[in-house]
Amino acid sequence: MNIIINGATRGIGRETALRMSADRDNQILITGRNEAEMKKMVNESTNENITFVKLDLAEIKNEIESLKHQIYNRFSSIDILLNIAGSLIVKDFMKLSDEECREMMDVNFFGPAALTRLVVPLMPRGSHIVNISSMGGFQGSSKYRGLSVYSSSKAAISCLSECLSQELAEKGIIVNCLALGSVQTEMFRNAFPGFTAPVSPEGMAEFIEWFAINGSRFFNGKVLPVALGNP
Protein backbone atom coordinates (compact mmCIF):
# COMPACT_ATOMS: atom_id res chain seq x y z
CA MET A 1 0.00 0.00 0.00
CA ASN A 2 0.99 3.61 -0.54
CA ILE A 3 0.66 5.54 2.72
CA ILE A 4 1.13 9.16 3.80
CA ILE A 5 1.59 9.86 7.50
CA ASN A 6 1.36 13.52 8.38
CA GLY A 7 3.25 14.26 11.60
CA ALA A 8 5.61 11.33 12.06
CA THR A 9 8.71 12.68 13.78
CA ARG A 10 7.76 11.82 17.36
CA GLY A 11 5.33 10.00 19.59
CA ILE A 12 2.39 8.17 18.07
CA GLY A 13 3.12 9.25 14.50
CA ARG A 14 6.70 8.03 14.64
CA GLU A 15 5.76 4.66 16.10
CA THR A 16 2.94 4.20 13.59
CA ALA A 17 5.25 4.90 10.65
CA LEU A 18 7.88 2.45 11.86
CA ARG A 19 5.27 -0.25 12.49
CA MET A 20 3.77 0.15 9.03
CA SER A 21 7.22 0.10 7.43
CA ALA A 22 7.69 -3.45 8.76
CA ASP A 23 5.50 -4.60 5.85
CA ARG A 24 7.79 -4.60 2.82
CA ASP A 25 4.78 -4.10 0.54
CA ASN A 26 4.09 -0.68 2.06
CA GLN A 27 5.58 2.51 0.67
CA ILE A 28 5.38 5.27 3.28
CA LEU A 29 5.83 9.01 2.91
CA ILE A 30 6.16 10.85 6.22
CA THR A 31 5.98 14.56 6.89
CA GLY A 32 7.23 16.69 9.76
CA ARG A 33 9.32 19.68 10.71
CA ASN A 34 12.30 17.77 12.13
CA GLU A 35 14.37 16.74 9.12
CA ALA A 36 17.09 15.11 11.21
CA GLU A 37 14.57 12.86 12.95
CA MET A 38 12.98 11.87 9.64
CA LYS A 39 16.40 10.92 8.25
CA LYS A 40 16.90 8.70 11.30
CA MET A 41 13.58 7.00 10.60
CA VAL A 42 14.58 6.35 6.99
CA ASN A 43 17.71 4.62 8.29
CA GLU A 44 15.73 2.64 10.88
CA SER A 45 13.43 1.22 8.23
CA THR A 46 14.76 -2.27 7.51
CA ASN A 47 12.71 -2.49 4.31
CA GLU A 48 13.93 0.89 3.02
CA ASN A 49 10.35 1.93 2.36
CA ILE A 50 10.15 5.27 4.18
CA THR A 51 10.71 8.59 2.43
CA PHE A 52 10.00 12.04 3.80
CA VAL A 53 8.99 15.58 2.96
CA LYS A 54 9.82 18.37 5.36
CA LEU A 55 6.58 20.20 6.11
CA ASP A 56 5.47 22.83 8.60
CA LEU A 57 1.68 22.60 8.63
CA ALA A 58 1.46 26.12 10.01
CA GLU A 59 3.03 27.29 6.72
CA ILE A 60 1.38 24.84 4.34
CA LYS A 61 -0.22 27.61 2.27
CA ASN A 62 3.26 28.76 1.29
CA GLU A 63 4.46 25.22 0.53
CA ILE A 64 1.45 23.74 -1.22
CA GLU A 65 2.81 23.74 -4.78
CA SER A 66 6.14 22.24 -3.76
CA LEU A 67 4.35 19.67 -1.61
CA LYS A 68 2.03 18.71 -4.46
CA HIS A 69 4.98 18.29 -6.80
CA GLN A 70 6.80 16.00 -4.37
CA ILE A 71 3.75 13.85 -3.56
CA TYR A 72 2.59 13.49 -7.16
CA ASN A 73 6.12 12.58 -8.28
CA ARG A 74 6.30 9.80 -5.69
CA PHE A 75 2.83 8.27 -6.01
CA SER A 76 0.31 7.59 -8.75
CA SER A 77 -2.19 6.50 -6.07
CA ILE A 78 -2.51 6.71 -2.28
CA ASP A 79 -4.30 4.07 -0.23
CA ILE A 80 -4.09 5.57 3.27
CA LEU A 81 -3.75 9.13 4.56
CA LEU A 82 -3.07 9.42 8.29
CA ASN A 83 -3.31 12.95 9.73
CA ILE A 84 -1.56 12.63 13.09
CA ALA A 85 0.33 15.94 13.49
CA GLY A 86 -0.68 18.06 16.45
CA SER A 87 0.18 21.29 18.24
CA LEU A 88 -0.62 21.98 21.90
CA ILE A 89 -0.13 25.16 23.91
CA VAL A 90 -1.41 24.80 27.47
CA LYS A 91 -2.70 28.17 28.56
CA ASP A 92 -5.95 29.72 29.76
CA PHE A 93 -8.08 31.06 26.93
CA MET A 94 -7.83 34.67 28.08
CA LYS A 95 -4.03 34.47 28.10
CA LEU A 96 -3.61 32.93 24.65
CA SER A 97 -2.38 35.26 21.94
CA ASP A 98 -3.94 35.34 18.49
CA GLU A 99 -0.72 33.85 17.12
CA GLU A 100 -0.86 30.91 19.55
CA CYS A 101 -4.50 30.25 18.67
CA ARG A 102 -3.72 30.35 14.96
CA GLU A 103 -0.77 27.97 15.35
CA MET A 104 -2.94 25.32 16.97
CA MET A 105 -5.74 25.77 14.44
CA ASP A 106 -3.28 25.69 11.54
CA VAL A 107 -1.52 22.51 12.65
CA ASN A 108 -4.55 20.67 14.02
CA PHE A 109 -7.17 21.68 11.45
CA PHE A 110 -6.30 23.91 8.49
CA GLY A 111 -3.06 22.08 7.66
CA PRO A 112 -4.54 18.57 7.63
CA ALA A 113 -7.54 19.90 5.69
CA ALA A 114 -5.24 21.38 3.03
CA LEU A 115 -3.18 18.19 2.80
CA THR A 116 -6.36 16.12 2.45
CA ARG A 117 -7.57 18.35 -0.38
CA LEU A 118 -4.22 17.83 -2.09
CA VAL A 119 -4.19 14.04 -1.69
CA VAL A 120 -7.82 13.11 -2.47
CA PRO A 121 -7.39 13.21 -6.29
CA LEU A 122 -4.84 10.38 -5.94
CA MET A 123 -7.05 8.19 -3.75
CA PRO A 124 -8.87 5.26 -5.43
CA ARG A 125 -12.10 3.61 -4.33
CA GLY A 126 -11.64 1.82 -1.03
CA SER A 127 -8.88 4.13 0.19
CA HIS A 128 -8.99 5.39 3.77
CA ILE A 129 -8.46 8.79 5.39
CA VAL A 130 -7.90 8.60 9.16
CA ASN A 131 -7.79 11.83 11.13
CA ILE A 132 -6.45 11.76 14.69
CA SER A 133 -8.46 13.86 17.09
CA SER A 134 -8.60 13.91 20.88
CA MET A 135 -11.07 13.10 23.61
CA GLY A 136 -10.72 16.80 24.42
CA GLY A 137 -12.60 17.49 21.19
CA PHE A 138 -15.16 14.71 21.66
CA GLN A 139 -18.65 15.96 22.46
CA GLY A 140 -19.70 15.22 26.02
CA SER A 141 -16.23 14.24 27.23
CA SER A 142 -14.47 15.83 30.19
CA LYS A 143 -12.83 19.17 29.42
CA TYR A 144 -9.74 20.60 31.09
CA ARG A 145 -8.45 24.04 31.91
CA GLY A 146 -5.82 25.39 29.55
CA LEU A 147 -6.90 23.23 26.60
CA SER A 148 -9.76 25.32 25.17
CA VAL A 149 -8.35 26.12 21.73
CA TYR A 150 -6.53 22.80 21.39
CA SER A 151 -9.76 20.94 22.13
CA SER A 152 -11.71 23.20 19.77
CA SER A 153 -9.27 22.50 16.94
CA LYS A 154 -9.63 18.77 17.53
CA ALA A 155 -13.41 19.09 17.53
CA ALA A 156 -13.10 20.81 14.15
CA ILE A 157 -11.12 17.95 12.57
CA SER A 158 -13.64 15.49 14.01
CA CYS A 159 -16.56 17.31 12.40
CA LEU A 160 -14.66 17.66 9.12
CA SER A 161 -14.18 13.89 9.07
CA GLU A 162 -17.93 13.32 9.36
CA CYS A 163 -18.66 15.84 6.60
CA LEU A 164 -15.99 14.52 4.22
CA SER A 165 -17.30 10.97 4.53
CA GLN A 166 -20.46 12.22 2.80
CA GLU A 167 -18.72 14.43 0.24
CA LEU A 168 -16.30 11.68 -0.79
CA ALA A 169 -18.79 8.81 -0.71
CA GLU A 170 -19.36 8.92 -4.46
CA LYS A 171 -15.61 8.45 -4.96
CA GLY A 172 -15.61 5.44 -2.64
CA ILE A 173 -13.17 7.07 -0.21
CA ILE A 174 -13.71 6.17 3.45
CA VAL A 175 -13.13 8.84 6.13
CA ASN A 176 -12.94 8.19 9.85
CA CYS A 177 -11.59 9.91 12.94
CA LEU A 178 -10.04 8.50 16.12
CA ALA A 179 -10.46 10.60 19.26
CA LEU A 180 -7.54 9.49 21.38
CA GLY A 181 -7.48 9.53 25.13
CA SER A 182 -4.40 9.49 27.33
CA VAL A 183 -1.21 8.27 25.67
CA GLN A 184 2.19 8.67 27.34
CA THR A 185 3.64 11.18 24.88
CA GLU A 186 5.52 14.43 25.31
CA MET A 187 2.31 16.29 24.48
CA PHE A 188 0.41 14.44 27.21
CA ARG A 189 3.13 15.20 29.77
CA ASN A 190 2.91 18.88 28.89
CA ALA A 191 -0.87 18.89 29.28
CA PHE A 192 -1.02 16.78 32.45
CA PRO A 193 2.28 16.99 34.33
CA GLY A 194 2.60 14.31 36.96
CA PHE A 195 0.05 11.96 35.39
CA THR A 196 0.93 8.63 33.82
CA ALA A 197 -1.16 7.57 30.83
CA PRO A 198 -2.40 3.97 30.63
CA VAL A 199 -1.32 3.56 26.99
CA SER A 200 2.15 3.84 25.44
CA PRO A 201 2.83 5.41 22.02
CA GLU A 202 3.80 1.96 20.77
CA GLY A 203 0.53 0.49 22.00
CA MET A 204 -1.59 3.19 20.38
CA ALA A 205 0.43 2.91 17.17
CA GLU A 206 -0.44 -0.78 17.02
CA PHE A 207 -4.14 0.06 17.15
CA ILE A 208 -3.88 2.91 14.62
CA GLU A 209 -2.02 0.67 12.18
CA TRP A 210 -4.76 -1.96 12.44
CA PHE A 211 -7.52 0.61 12.08
CA ALA A 212 -5.93 2.37 9.10
CA ILE A 213 -5.71 -0.95 7.24
CA ASN A 214 -8.93 -2.62 8.40
CA GLY A 215 -11.24 0.07 9.79
CA SER A 216 -12.65 1.04 6.41
CA ARG A 217 -14.34 -2.37 6.26
CA PHE A 218 -16.47 -1.56 9.30
CA PHE A 219 -16.72 2.23 9.71
CA ASN A 220 -17.31 5.35 7.64
CA GLY A 221 -17.92 8.88 8.83
CA LYS A 222 -17.38 7.90 12.45
CA VAL A 223 -15.61 9.69 15.29
CA LEU A 224 -14.52 6.87 17.57
CA PRO A 225 -13.30 7.41 21.13
CA VAL A 226 -10.16 5.41 21.92
CA ALA A 227 -9.61 5.88 25.63
CA LEU A 228 -9.02 3.85 28.80
CA GLY A 229 -8.85 6.62 31.36
CA ASN A 230 -9.77 10.16 32.29
CA PRO A 231 -7.85 12.23 31.39
Side-chain angles (χ1 to χ4, degrees), residues 28 33 91 96 98 103 118 138 181 198 200 206 217 220:
I28 302 164
R33 288 180 288 190
K91 192 179 290 188
L96 282 166
D98 287 346
E103 178 186 332
L118 187 67
F138 190 78
S200 68
E206 181 180 358
R217 296 163 48 204
N220 188 27

Side-chain angles (χ1 to χ4, degrees), residues 18-33:
L18 291 174
R19 282 191 64 88
M20 298 187 90
S21 73
D23 185 337
R24 67 178 63 254
D25 292 328
N26 289 339
Q27 292 297 320
I28 302 164
L29 175 66
I30 62 174
T31 75
R33 288 180 288 190

Side-chain angles (χ1 to χ4, degrees), residues 3 20 31 41 101 116 137 143-144 146 164 173 177 187 189 211 218 221:
I3 301 164
M20 298 187 90
T31 75
M41 292 175 65
C101 292
T116 300
K143 302 298 186 287
Y144 296 93
L164 285 184
I173 300 172
C177 182
M187 187 176 292
R189 289 191 290 271
F211 186 84
F218 306 102

